[in-house]
Amino acid sequence: MFSRSAIAACLVSVLIQSANASDPRPNIVFIFSDDHAAHAIGAYGGLLASVNPTPNIDKLGQQGMLFSNCFCANSICGPSRASIITGKHAHANGFGQNENQFDQGQPTFPKMLQKAGYTTAMIGKWHLGSDPQGFDYWKILPGQGVYYNPDFVSPSGEERIEGHCTELITDMALEWLKNGRDKSKPFLLMCQHKAPHRNWMPQLKYLSLYNDTRIPEPDTLFDDYADNAIPARIQEMEIDRHMTLVYDLFALPPDQDPTPNLATDKSGVANLERMTPVQRKAWDDGFAKDNAAFAVAQLTGMDLVRWKYQRYMKNYLRCVRGVDDCVGELMKAIDEEGLADNTVVIYSSDQGFYLGDYGWYDKRWMYDVSMRMPLIVKWPGVTKPGSTCDLLTQNIDFAETFLDIAGLKPNADMQGVSLVPLLKGQKPADWRDALYYHYLEFPSVHMVARHYGIRTNRYKLIHFYEFGEWEFYDLQRDPEERLNQYNNPDYADTITGLKGRLEDLRKVYKDASDVSEKPADWQARYRAADKKP
Ligand code: CA
């Protein structure tokens, strides 16, 4: 005889199982890369589309919706991630600079999904300084992580794993998807790559990809920033003056010492020294012929910039290819697991990136190249295949979108808007017509001055407040932001109006941070670095 309580327990168990088996809430697979500019994705078109196929990401676009005007709130790795998981601007979540520690005590969408019955996993680059919370499973790269034989941190400690980080992260995500997750629950899988972040070390199998291709150069590769405010001229992110031959480009023979005083070059050598002898030989062999020719050529001036651009872009695009492979492998596994009909797949990256545009690499600026994020969403039965949404969207919207997909309400203090109506093909009449942006890390690596601003569908106004300088662009007439029109009297009324709207946005988002001007102090300090033509 079974006892009454045993029968009751059995019934409860059956009820829970049947409830979970029929739980209609969609699974969410968030594939996220680092520094993958939209203009290095085939589906976004542009200069590189002809040489840079991203077949798996493009296919996702063909099956889902591509957001052509998605932007970050602060164009740098950690802050973008913090905005994504909290649904808040940096001043509101406390994570405005990469060296900050994320306060894990605050509400995040993974925590809320987990509490609501999702099983959750975070694999790869986390970059928030403190251990993840809200995940049933997590395994992350410490800090920025490294490309070859990376360390991974999990609740059980730290271990070094042999291989390339893009392949390792993909394999861990596949393993969790197939065998690791609680299959009685809907799931959230965050698969977050280091690639194609600096210092752009591709998988060995892609070292010769693009060897016979000349990557087209952007028109602005030799920009002199003559029309810009001072900050564009005192930055330290030029391919010409700041990209290093060893750390960034692996352009010296392997037996030669790196430039003695460049800390970056020394850390680049440390990256190479992590390789196994077999990996290292294949790596050195892959660049040997080109490096020998480079040593003989003794390039200078514009020729040297052009050579650096080619090496940089080839390695960057090789890293992109590895990420694209991951998208394909995850899509295949989702199919094989019978999950395709009820799984939302998202591809995005934390910000844009300069691919020689304006002569630069890196990000940080409010200019579109670095502010724009790729965002492609496939939601079977909801997103119209091959559709595009051009409404203004931002990374602070992601958390509320994922909660909405799961049928959950956002926290009252989240600052974004759910994109679910847009995913359904709606164009709400009251959709936002302006975005707020604030970059905070200065003085710091790459020396991009603090700035905040407003971007509407047509205009952009940027305030480099410490320098007491402004920039203004008419994006309709000048989509590449090549001519700062702040002092053009024809735009005076427009600029006055935008200044008012910018102050309104600061109130709406409750950004009370100090943006006072200190032009005498700051301009004097950096005047020597200003190479105004
Ligand atoms: Ca990044």
Side-chain angles (χ1 to χ4, degrees), residues 3 17 20 36 66 120 124 131 141 158 194 244 279 296 302 332 342 344 372 395 398 448 465 477:
S3 74
Q17 278 179 18
N20 289 331
H36 190 184
L66 179 147
T120 56
D131 287 348
L141 298 167
E158 187 164 332
K194 170 185 176 65
T244 69
Q279 289 169 339
V296 170
M302 290 168 81
K332 183 162 168 272
N342 199 32
V344 185
R372 190 186 305 282
N395 55 356
F398 289 21
V448 172
Y465 43 98
R477 292 185 179 162

Side-chain angles (χ1 to χ4, degrees), residues 26-256:
N27 308 305
I28 299 171
V29 175
F30 183 61
I31 310 171
F32 192 65
S33 57
D34 197 319
D35 294 355
H36 190 184
H39 59 313
I41 293 176
Y44 277 86
L47 182 70
L48 299 169
S50 62
V51 295
N52 171 46
T54 45
N56 293 297
I57 300 172
D58 297 352
K59 186 173 171 191
L60 193 66
Q62 288 152 18
Q63 296 173 335
M65 178 176 280
L66 179 147
F67 288 79
S68 58
N69 282 313
C70 182
F71 296 94
C72 60
N74 179 355
S75 178
I76 188 167
C77 307
S80 182
R81 285 148 212 272
S83 284
I84 286 171
I85 64 169
T86 61
K88 293 178 183 175
H89 281 278
H91 61 270
N93 66 41
F95 197 99
Q97 307 186 39
N98 267 347
E99 68 264 30
N100 291 151
Q101 288 275 320
F102 182 72
D103 170 10
Q104 296 284 353
Q106 58 190 312
T108 65
F109 84 82
K111 281 189 199 174
M112 293 165 75
L113 287 177
Q114 186 188 43
K115 196 173 166 204
Y118 272 63
T119 185
T120 56
M122 164 62 222
I123 294 162
K125 185 166 176 183
W126 175 243
H127 205 212
L128 289 172
S130 44
D131 287 348
Q133 289 185 18
F135 298 98
D136 299 313
Y137 178 86
W138 58 269
K139 196 157 190 169
I140 59 170
L141 298 167
Q144 295 279 11
V146 296
Y147 276 108
Y148 276 88
N149 308 332
D151 297 321
F152 279 89
V153 181
S154 68
S156 57
E158 187 164 332
E159 59 179 324
R160 181 182 293 209
I161 305 179
E162 188 176 320
H164 187 279
C165 71
T166 303
E167 292 174 1
L168 294 171
I169 290 166
T170 304
D171 288 347
M172 288 172 194
L174 290 170
E175 173 60 22
W176 187 81
L177 188 72
K178 290 176 181 168
N179 304 314
R181 68 192 161 90
D182 176 348
K183 294 192 177 179
S184 70
K185 295 178 172 183
F187 66 86
L188 163 72
L189 169 58
M190 299 176 76
C191 174
Q192 304 198 165
H193 289 288
K194 170 185 176 65
H197 190 277
R198 193 186 186 193
N199 61 342
W200 315 296
M201 295 177 75
Q203 291 146 267
L204 295 174
K205 67 179 176 182
Y206 288 136
L207 279 188
S208 62
L209 187 68
Y210 304 117
N211 263 0
D212 301 321
T213 306
R214 181 160 181 83
I215 311 294
E217 293 171 1
D219 293 342
T220 52
L221 183 59
F222 296 99
D223 197 344
D224 60 8
Y225 324 112
D227 62 295
N228 290 87
I230 285 180
R233 292 189 299 275
I234 64 153
Q235 44 64 38
E236 297 180 356
M237 51 190 278
E238 291 168 25
I239 291 175
D240 180 7
R241 294 189 299 161
H242 308 112
M243 181 176 271
T244 69
L245 287 173
V246 178
Y247 177 74
D248 292 306
L249 300 173
F250 315 101
L252 285 186
D255 54 345
Q256 192 167 330

